[in-house]
Amino acid sequence: MRKYETIFILHPSLDEEAVNAAVDKFKGVIENAGGVVENVDLWGKRKLAYEIEKVNEGYYTLVNFSAEPQLPKELDRLFRINDSVIRHIIVKDEK
């Protein structure tokens, strides 16, 4: 298994309950595919570096996990089809 790191930004119109549900959903995807979630860091609502579709803020979340190489592709697909995710990135941790 390889180590990965993902940061995703959720839409600011979501309430705390919806943000936690979305984070739990993505954690569940990782765990159900045989991955191991090592760390979840909720950064909270922050200002974006630039406006995205007339949105200036978002809920930032950092997740460190270990998984097989095909899992990031599936996670990327799920991030893309979820309307509450504004931006995301998944990188392989080289440490």
Side-chain angles (χ1 to χ4, degrees):
M1 293 203 332
R2 297 181 181 162
K3 292 189 179 287
Y4 295 95
E5 178 176 274
T6 183
I7 295 178
F8 55 93
I9 306 170
L10 298 173
H11 201 277
S13 66
L14 300 174
D15 60 354
E16 286 294 322
E17 191 173 300
V19 170
N20 291 333
V23 171
D24 289 341
K25 174 186 172 189
F26 294 126
K27 280 176 33 183
V29 168
I30 294 168
E31 291 167 349
N32 290 339
V36 177
V37 176
E38 296 165 359
N39 182 35
V40 176
D41 194 7
L42 299 171
W43 293 355
K45 190 184 252 187
R46 295 179 176 234
K47 188 168 169 48
L48 300 176
Y50 55 90
E51 189 174 281
I52 301 171
E53 297 179 12
K54 299 183 181 178
V55 176
N56 293 322
E57 296 181 313
Y59 289 99
Y60 284 70
T61 305
L62 168 70
V63 179
N64 298 88
F65 63 97
S66 298
E68 296 299 325
Q70 65 271 15
L71 178 64
K73 292 176 187 171
E74 175 64 14
L75 195 57
D76 182 56
R77 184 185 75 80
L78 293 173
F79 281 143
R80 289 178 189 272
I81 63 174
N82 192 321
D83 290 335
S84 63
V85 177
I86 299 172
R87 285 285 189 265
H88 72 279
I89 187 167
I90 304 169
V91 294
K92 184 175 153 188
D93 196 0
E94 296 290 336
K95 295 180 194 173

